[in-house]
Amino acid sequence: MAAPGKLIGSHISLISNKDIRYEGILFSIDQEKSCVTLQAVKCLGTEGRTPAGGQAYPADDTVYDYILFEASDIKDWPVHDAPSTSAASAPAPKA
């Protein structure tokens, strides 16, 4: 996996321990406080997953500016799209 700082700006799909999925842009990773913050976050609910001992949670159309998640509340957080690199760092095309 890439270094944590290089993931900032990535499109993330975070699944909580309650099996609720959230999607947003990775805004920050605080390793000292063991938490991550997503920006422009949508809650997609449990999407048919059956949480252990819990109830299904419906999707919500609200887009939240920021949501902070403690690492202990995160089950999985796959990266969908890493932030794009600048054209200056890309190799020049061969003629």
Side-chain angles (χ1 to χ4, degrees):
M1 178 175 240
K6 292 186 180 207
L7 294 174
I8 301 300
S10 297
H11 179 224
I12 300 289
S13 181
L14 184 147
I15 300 175
S16 73
N17 287 332
K18 293 183 179 181
D19 280 324
I20 300 170
R21 184 163 69 103
Y22 300 86
E23 283 197 355
I25 306 300
L26 183 61
F27 180 75
S28 69
I29 299 173
D30 188 329
Q31 292 179 324
E32 288 181 24
K33 294 182 181 178
S34 296
C35 61
V36 298
T37 303
L38 296 186
Q39 180 180 23
V41 187
K42 287 191 76 174
C43 175
L44 302 170
T46 51
E47 302 175 309
R49 290 180 292 278
T50 305
Q55 294 181 323
Y57 190 85
D60 183 354
D61 289 334
T62 305
V63 177
Y64 298 92
D65 292 334
Y66 298 92
I67 298 181
L68 183 138
F69 296 90
E70 293 183 11
S72 61
D73 293 332
I74 300 171
K75 184 176 188 177
D76 193 14
W77 58 307
V79 176
H80 290 293
D81 297 314
S84 61
T85 57
S86 68
S89 64
K94 294 183 179 184

